[in-house]
Amino acid sequence: MSEPKVPPSALLADGIAAVPHHVAIIMDGNGRWAAARGLPRVEGHRRGVEALRRTIRAAGEIGIKVITIFSFSSENWSRPAAEVGELMGLLRRFIRNDLAELHKSGVRVRIIGERAGLEADIGRLLIEAEELTKDNTGLTLVVAFNYGARQEIARAARRAAEAVAQGTLNAQDITVDTVAGFLDTADLPDPDLIIRTSGEQRLSNFLLWQSAYSELVFVPANWPDFDRAILEGAIREYQQRERRFGGLSGTAAAKTGS
Ligand code: FPP
């Protein structure tokens, strides 16, 4: 998946609007998808893995460079044990079944989130996925697993405090870049576009630091129904936004002569 395998769609190939470099996705609505069909929730999660496979393929084809998926949040432990067990099982199976193919496609896998406290075999699979694919130069797939943004920021603060205590960092020298460098995402670009499925409109403790200037797009489809057309629709919406990063729009800047 290092180079797009098929030409991007007409919309994305118009040469005017850029494809977002980094797209992050909150894959929501698996349970509702299942309930609407009288199926157990786990069936929604299973179909969610298929949607994930489709999305990774489409992202590579469209020319997205980094895709981050919210696959298990720090708060998801509060779900019934059976559902937590199913979600852990799906991650295990995803890595065991799909890692070789991802590697062959040039995908580099990165995991963000808290590793401590995970079952030992899952910890090993996460390391294996990162190690095997670390030199790949195609799409970067960032899996947010046992991830919570507040927890990530707290870990970063703890690391900075430890560095200050050890004398390797001066408290006065702590800047935005210093804090960013202590986050799990230290070497990753911020997301340009964050998509949440299922119509919910909130970030739910996902990439709170990194989303400072991300464009947010909320789509009504539940995650198991997500596909390339919906992804392209979200990118189209993103392309209509004007990103000012706290500055002025092009027109306003021209008017003020700045
Ligand atoms: C939200 O739907 C989804 C999750 C909590 C988990 C997302 C997991 C997957 C798509 C599959 C596993 C991922 C990997 C990498 C193997 P929900 O259960 O909150 O849906 P609801 O809001 O309709 O109840």
Side-chain angles (χ1 to χ4, degrees):
M1 222 172 275
S2 51
E3 291 297 327
K5 288 195 187 84
V6 298
S9 69
L11 162 79
L12 301 171
D14 61 10
I16 298 166
V19 169
H21 183 93
H22 181 178
V23 176
I25 306 182
I26 303 174
M27 310 181 290
D28 198 10
N30 294 350
R32 276 163 284 169
W33 182 93
R37 289 158 181 80
L39 297 168
R41 291 177 57 81
V42 62
E43 198 48 39
H45 296 315
R46 285 186 194 133
R47 294 293 286 265
V49 177
E50 288 171 28
L52 175 60
R53 290 192 182 104
R54 281 198 295 276
T55 304
I56 294 170
R57 208 174 313 119
E61 289 170 355
I62 289 169
I64 292 163
K65 300 296 180 204
V66 183
I67 183 163
T68 298
I69 51 151
F70 203 2
S71 75
F72 190 86
S73 80
S74 308
E75 290 73 30
N76 284 155
W77 294 106
S78 65
R79 295 190 175 202
E83 184 170 344
V84 170
E86 287 288 354
L87 286 166
M88 295 291 152
L90 284 177
L91 179 84
R92 281 187 182 94
R93 286 198 289 282
F94 178 70
I95 296 182
R96 288 191 189 124
N97 297 339
D98 291 46
L99 183 60
E101 183 62 32
L102 291 170
H103 182 44
K104 216 168 83 190
S105 308
V107 173
R108 181 173 73 122
V109 179
R110 284 285 316 274
I111 317 289
I112 57 171
E114 179 61 84
R115 304 283 176 102
L118 294 177
E119 287 177 51
D121 72 308
I122 291 198
R124 281 194 297 273
L125 282 172
L126 299 183
I127 292 170
E128 182 191 336
E130 287 191 312
E131 277 296 310
L132 179 71
T133 63
K134 68 178 188 308
D135 296 324
N136 289 346
T137 55
L139 178 77
T140 296
L141 170 66
V142 184
V143 181
F145 189 76
N146 195 20
Y147 176 85
R150 288 178 168 179
Q151 290 83 345
E152 178 193 31
I153 293 167
R155 278 197 302 280
R158 208 176 306 133
R159 287 178 197 146
E162 282 163 5
V164 170
Q166 285 161 9
T168 53
L169 178 66
N170 237 323
Q172 286 74 19
D173 294 338
I174 296 178
T175 62
V176 166
D177 286 345
T178 319
V179 176
F182 282 109
L183 295 171
D184 298 355
T185 52
D187 56 340
L188 294 165
D190 288 341
D192 301 291
L193 166 64
I194 297 181
I195 300 170
R196 182 172 188 149
T197 59
S198 86
E200 306 288 351
Q201 302 195 357
R202 57 181 172 270
L203 282 175
S204 301
N205 205 14
F206 185 51
L207 300 177
L208 296 183
W209 173 281
Q210 300 85 344
S211 62
Y213 289 102
S214 303
E215 296 297 330
L216 310 183
V217 171
F218 302 102
V219 300
N222 287 321
W223 176 249
D225 288 328
F226 197 82
D227 60 12
R228 180 173 174 151
I230 301 173
L231 176 60
E232 289 190 355
I235 293 175
R236 206 166 18 232
E237 194 170 330
Y238 163 85
Q239 289 170 327
Q240 282 156 10
R241 305 268 176 92
E242 187 185 17
R243 303 188 73 195
R244 294 195 296 274
F245 298 96
L248 297 179
S249 69
T251 323
K255 278 188 190 147
T256 59
S258 45

